[in-house]
Amino acid sequence: TLVGSRIRRIEDPRLITGKGQYIDDLDLPDTLFLAILRSNVAHAKLKRVDVSDALKMPGVVDAFSGLNIKVENRPRNFPMASTEILYEGQPLACVLATDRYTAYDALERVQVDFEEIPAVTDPLEAVKESVSAVEGEKNLVYTKTYSSGNPQRALDGSDRVVELQLEISRIYPAAMETRGLLVTYTPNLLTVYAPTQSPHFMRRYLLEAFGKDVQDIRVIQPDVGGAFGSKLFPYPEDYITVYASLRTRRSVKWISTRSEDIRSTYHGRGQIHRVKAGARKDGTLTGIVDDLYIDLGAASHGTYLADIAATMLPGPYSVRDVLVNVYGVRTNKTPLDQYRGAGRPEASFVIERIMDALADEIGMDPIEMRKRNLLRELPYKNPFGLQYDSGDYLQLLERAEKVFREMESRARDLQRTGRRVGVGFDFYLEQNNFGPWESASIRVRGDGKIIVIIGAAPHGQGTATGIAQIVADELGVNLEDVDVRWGDTSMIGEAYGTYGSRSLTLAGNAAIMASRKLKEKAVRLAAQFMKSDVEELRYEQGKVTNVKTGKFMTLKEIASKSMSSLGGVWRYREEPGLEATAYFGLNNYTYPYGSHVVMVEIVDGRPRVLDYYALDDIGKVVNPMLAEGQVRGGVIQGFGETVLEEIVYSENGSLLTGNFSDYAIPTAVESFNVKWEYLETGKSEALLPSKGIGEGATIGTPPALLRAIEKATGKKLTRLPVRPEDLLP
Ligand code: MCN
Ligand code: MO
């Protein structure tokens, strides 16, 4: 079978030979270029924005400011500031010109009068409410309590209690391709080319805002150079560009520069956890109390990330006495949203830091400590009601432990020679397949070509290859006969998209269901053509065979006969055509799990990875090469988050890491090899019993890597990323 095999990505030949069509490759005649004027201060009273001088410039077609559209939980005055500037990079005005150079030049002629007022950037300062991030409003905009059992009593009854302030800095989801949008105008129908993770979300949101001005909006996703969670929902610039197209009745393109992107693409993470956790001398985790501060920036739509982190905080361990107080705080920074892992890396970082800290405190082996607390029976309802589904956590942990012991003994040899080497280990629980469902359609064309259209919207993952494997197996045809397509709202009625590591499982299972409907139809059509009873026919290996006579028709023959007049069938018993659509949703999240083991050396003041091992259980693995690719990329991103990447603001809210020379992402130079293995014990309840792998490694990497650095430096580490001073001898 193809499912389970390492098959090369069918997407790649086109992309690696430079034939990809990214949004800025699309050139349509008479397109205006839109450039956005952004605030260069964090907090100010906005008195006047005057575009009249810009409008006088040759080549400038239009310019405007003060556009306001109501979208829930976005900054007041969205998508453009009109009375108050709330963060550096917030859109203030835009210019439309016949080319991009003129548009940017004209921005300099927009006059802005404002009066700076105090900004607040530190969420722990902001909760004190002495400086308002938004005039006349509270900074603390969201509080929630997750409570189970009696954590205070549990801490009081513990042999040891640790208190930690764990900080996870803000990071920039640095996709290779910056954001952009291209809108083509025709009366009543806008076509929006959007490098998005969900064309259907884009359509829904845009129709909500502009539905009274157009009959429909078609969204097409061109090739997308990565997203990592950041391109799921429309941004201010998307609304501005669509509005500009409607206003000018012209096609409009907006492409963000890297320095615009770094201040305007919603940042990720940004959480501080003040935790107390207790254990008995035998290593039993007794209780956790956590004050979770999430730095929302100038909006409040990122609160769900705190909810995910809070409910996942107990991780794979049996602790029942847990209290998490969530504080969602607004600051004068770019709004916060999801970045690969979205809440689960934060939870995993906190619980794994707790396990290491407690193990150190009671003088116990950290793996023994984890074993003592690891859940043995599944399914299991966690203290906050999450239903962990399936698997054998201990089996996986013990396998990773072997790797850890072996790495540790090599590390000890190196340490004896004076090298600063350490090994880290973690166990992580993932929650994915975020809902609610996904769709897939299969159409067999008259020429026999099988077109599969999925509602998921991959943008680098290689999903089309995985889906092609699934469908080819299910229909018993060659991989080359299956053509997987996606990313156009006019190809598929309703859909969701690619996020929450859901596409393979949800779209894959929808594709299986659609394939099965299609096979039934093929049998009914074949019965008509072969003058047989349906009962005598079997669909097998891409053909329908009469079990009595041995005669058969291939899927291609059935399709072409059904769909062409040349087939000579003019009286239809069966409805012609060979296509089917199916929708698939699970009634729970899936909970894959894994373990990372890493050996690090501090060389010239920098952590260098000497060995890296990751082990995952995601149920049925469709294509181990694709899954491994996800793990490798995720580990390198996790390395960036642990060692290099940090969005830093000055106290008055100016962004100090506004380009790639100040904001360091991992490059080929810092990259290293990752060994990956997998188990298939924890199956999901789907027809194809898979779970997601798209985000796992960004969850599993930071706790193990930070532990390794802690061991190599002998220091207690509580912050992501580590800073140079943490690494000094
Ligand atoms: N796969 C598999 N067997 C499984 C599960 C998955 O072979 N049991 C394969 C799939 O065929 C697919 C890949 O692994 O090629 C990931 O599938 P899945 O876990 O279903 O995740 P999604 O396709 O839904 O991808 C989303 C996930 C998320 S949420 C982020 S963020 C992220 C990530 O994918 N962003 C990425 N990986 C990324 N990879 C790239 N190149 N670019 C991004 O922006
Ligand atoms: Mo994501």
Side-chain angles (χ1 to χ4, degrees):
T1 60
L2 295 166
V3 169
S5 311
R6 298 177 71 94
I7 289 177
R8 289 200 186 171
R9 292 162 42 126
I10 55 183
E11 293 93 333
D12 283 352
R14 197 174 58 84
L15 295 174
I16 61 179
T17 51
K19 299 198 180 86
Q21 284 272 303
Y22 297 88
I23 185 149
D24 209 12
D25 296 322
L26 304 174
D27 269 321
L28 299 170
D30 293 327
T31 300
L32 297 176
F33 195 89
L34 183 142
I36 289 177
L37 182 75
R38 297 174 186 279
S39 147
N40 54 13
V41 297
H43 201 191
K45 287 191 173 134
L46 185 56
K47 297 192 163 149
R48 187 179 67 108
V49 182
D50 185 351
V51 297
S52 55
D53 266 4
L55 276 169
K56 287 181 202 139
M57 238 176 97
V60 171
V61 174
D62 197 3
F64 58 89
S65 61
L67 176 65
N68 276 191
I69 294 167
K70 191 143 185 48
V71 182
E72 248 184 34
N73 298 328
R74 295 310 191 265
R76 186 157 87 188
N77 304 149
F78 179 90
M80 284 180 176
S82 46
T83 56
E84 185 181 354
I85 291 170
L86 297 175
Y87 61 98
E88 181 183 326
Q90 189 175 16
L92 305 180
C94 71
V95 169
L96 290 125
T98 46
D99 68 283
R100 73 179 72 190
Y101 304 99
T102 310
Y104 276 100
D105 284 349
L107 286 185
E108 287 169 25
R109 304 223 190 153
V110 179
Q111 286 165 22
V112 183
D113 291 343
F114 60 88
E115 180 195 321
E116 256 190 279
I117 48 180
V120 59
T121 55
D122 177 354
L124 296 180
E125 269 308 305
V127 277
K128 295 179 189 157
E129 306 286 359
S130 51
V131 177
S132 300
V134 180
E135 286 291 280
E137 289 183 22
K138 285 247 175 302
N139 299 332
L140 184 61
V141 286
Y142 183 73
T143 54
K144 190 144 186 179
T145 305
Y146 291 95
S147 175
S148 158
N150 191 336
Q152 196 50 54
R153 199 178 55 203
L155 291 185
D156 292 342
S158 303
D159 295 322
R160 290 282 193 283
V161 173
V162 291
E163 255 190 88
L164 302 165
Q165 176 159 319
L166 298 170
E167 296 178 30
I168 305 158
S169 76
R170 277 183 163 232
I171 45 184
Y172 161 54
M176 207 182 299
E177 185 193 21
T178 59
R179 291 185 298 112
L181 203 78
L182 171 63
V183 185
T184 69
Y185 178 85
T186 41
N188 284 328
L189 175 72
L190 289 187
T191 303
V192 174
Y193 294 86
T196 173
Q197 297 174 227
S198 171
H200 286 83
F201 272 136
M202 184 67 92
R203 178 178 68 179
R204 270 171 239 163
Y205 274 85
L206 292 178
L207 275 177
E208 232 165 78
F210 303 108
K212 53 192 183 318
D213 309 311
V214 285
Q215 207 174 322
D216 200 5
I217 296 178
R218 174 182 179 190
V219 178
I220 298 175
Q221 176 203 36
D223 287 322
V224 181
F228 308 108
S230 71
K231 296 173 182 171
L232 185 55
F233 300 113
Y235 278 83
E237 298 84 355
D238 300 322
Y239 290 92
I240 294 170
T241 308
V242 170
Y243 174 79
S245 172
L246 285 168
R247 183 177 146 114
T248 57
R249 299 168 182 244
R250 299 274 298 267
S251 296
V252 178
K253 184 193 259 189
W254 164 72
I255 302 287
S256 142
T257 63
R258 182 61 67 181
S259 54
E260 281 184 276
D261 205 63
I262 207 166
R263 20 181 79 63
S264 67
T265 293
Y266 299 153
H267 299 156
R269 311 287 192 257
Q271 293 190 8
I272 297 171
H273 293 247
R274 289 179 159 169
V275 294
K276 282 187 212 151
R280 286 202 288 271
K281 269 189 279 202
D282 67 359
T284 308
L285 180 62
T286 51
I288 303 172
V289 175
D290 180 16
D291 287 330
L292 187 174
Y293 297 86
I294 183 165
D295 176 359
L296 297 169
S300 55
H301 63 271
T303 53
Y304 71 101
L305 296 161
D307 296 321
I308 296 173
T311 51
M312 284 296 286
L313 200 85
Y317 307 115
S318 59
V319 60
R320 302 295 312 178
D321 294 302
V322 188
L323 169 67
V324 185
N325 298 306
V326 172
Y327 301 100
V329 194
R330 268 196 313 213
T331 55
N332 296 108
K333 295 179 183 171
T334 299
L336 190 84
D337 210 323
Q338 56 184 280
Y339 174 60
R340 197 172 186 181
R344 291 97 78 206
E346 295 90 321
S348 174
F349 178 68
V350 172
I351 187 67
E352 291 302 283
R353 280 285 73 197
I354 287 173
M355 295 309 269
D356 284 336
L358 280 171
D360 290 350
E361 190 67 28
I362 54 183
M364 189 172 185
D365 177 86
I367 297 190
E368 285 308 314
M369 167 105 192
R370 285 174 172 85
K371 272 191 203 164
R372 166 109 26 205
N373 295 284
L374 206 62
L375 292 164
R376 308 285 167 120
E377 302 237 331
L378 295 170
Y380 168 86
K381 197 181 268 273
N382 100 346
F384 303 132
L386 302 181
Q387 177 89 359
Y388 301 169
D389 54 356
S390 60
D392 183 342
Y393 299 170
L394 188 64
Q395 176 203 22
L396 186 139
L397 182 134
E398 285 178 341
R399 178 146 160 191
E401 180 182 7
K402 288 205 186 80
V403 176
F404 174 80
R405 301 289 174 213
E406 185 274 326
M407 248 191 237
E408 236 192 357
S409 92
R410 271 191 287 139
R412 269 194 300 273
D413 290 345
L414 295 172
Q415 285 158 356
R416 270 187 223 111
T417 67
R419 288 168 66 174
R420 300 173 71 207
V421 173
V423 181
F425 175 99
D426 69 27
F427 189 97
Y428 80 93
L429 181 68
E430 155 71 318
Q431 173 189 46
N432 62 26
N433 273 303
F434 284 80
W437 46 260
E438 201 43 89
S439 57
S441 287
I442 304 195
R443 297 174 193 160
V444 185
R445 277 194 332 216
D447 60 5
K449 187 91 195 156
I450 299 162
I451 313 287
V452 181
I453 302 156
I454 53 168
H459 43 275
Q461 291 84 354
T463 316
T465 305
I467 300 286
Q469 288 171 253
I470 293 169
V471 171
D473 269 0
E474 187 64 34
L475 294 181
V477 299
N478 294 328
L479 195 68
E480 301 75 57
D481 294 333
V482 182
D483 184 352
V484 180
R485 300 182 187 180
W486 66 91
D488 182 342
T489 56
S490 73
M491 280 201 300
I492 196 152
E494 287 299 343
Y496 281 84
T498 287
Y499 53 90
S501 300
R502 68 195 300 276
S503 305
L504 190 276
T505 302
L506 300 186
N509 277 290
I512 291 184
M513 288 165 61
S515 303
R516 293 193 178 171
K517 290 186 189 177
L518 191 101
K519 287 194 283 188
E520 284 171 24
K521 181 69 186 296
V523 168
R524 292 202 302 274
L525 285 168
Q528 165 185 291
F529 300 140
M530 295 164 74
K531 304 199 170 25
S532 304
D533 283 340
V534 166
E535 290 71 39
E536 299 169 352
L537 300 179
R538 294 275 174 284
Y539 187 106
E540 254 167 27
Q541 298 302 313
K543 48 191 192 233
V544 176
T545 308
N546 185 315
V547 289
K548 283 192 185 149
T549 64
K551 283 195 185 144
F552 66 85
M553 280 181 87
T554 64
L555 190 59
K556 185 173 175 171
E557 286 164 351
I558 299 167
S560 69
K561 196 150 189 178
S562 159
M563 275 170 276
S564 91
S565 58
L566 301 175
V569 185
W570 296 99
R571 282 149 87 215
Y572 301 100
R573 261 198 294 145
E574 274 304 326
E575 177 192 359
L578 204 43
E579 55 182 82
T581 294
Y583 296 80
F584 179 83
L586 288 161
N587 62 11
N588 187 14
Y589 302 108
T590 57
Y591 293 86
Y593 52 94
S595 175
H596 285 222
V597 187
V598 50
M599 176 155 56
V600 160
E601 177 172 15
I602 311 299
V603 187
D604 300 332
R606 290 197 194 126
R608 200 171 78 194
V609 171
L610 301 183
D611 203 353
Y612 205 106
Y613 173 82
L615 177 63
D616 281 286
D617 188 344
I618 56 166
K620 182 71 198 162
V621 177
V622 168
N623 182 332
M625 193 192 279
L626 292 173
E628 184 178 329
Q630 288 294 305
V631 173
R632 286 169 174 259
V635 168
I636 300 300
Q637 279 186 319
F639 175 85
E641 180 174 0
T642 309
V643 172
L644 299 170
E645 297 183 45
E646 181 174 9
I647 284 285
V648 184
Y649 283 90
S650 74
E651 240 171 73
N652 66 1
S654 45
L655 181 63
L656 302 177
T657 49
N659 56 53
F660 276 154
S661 52
D662 297 320
Y663 185 87
I665 58 166
T667 67
V669 174
E670 291 81 19
S671 293
F672 46 87
N673 192 34
V674 175
K675 287 179 217 143
W676 182 67
E677 292 186 304
Y678 62 98
L679 304 173
E680 294 184 318
T681 309
K683 298 206 161 51
S684 72
E685 58 192 45
L687 280 173
L688 171 78
S690 55
K691 302 181 187 177
I693 188 65
E695 297 159 285
T698 53
I699 305 166
T701 302
L705 188 53
L706 199 73
R707 177 63 173 181
I709 298 170
E710 189 168 79
K711 286 306 221 180
T713 58
K715 293 186 182 165
K716 296 254 169 262
L717 300 176
T718 52
R719 189 173 57 204
L720 289 177
V722 291
R723 298 201 181 133
E725 61 267 29
D726 299 332
L727 305 175
L728 295 173

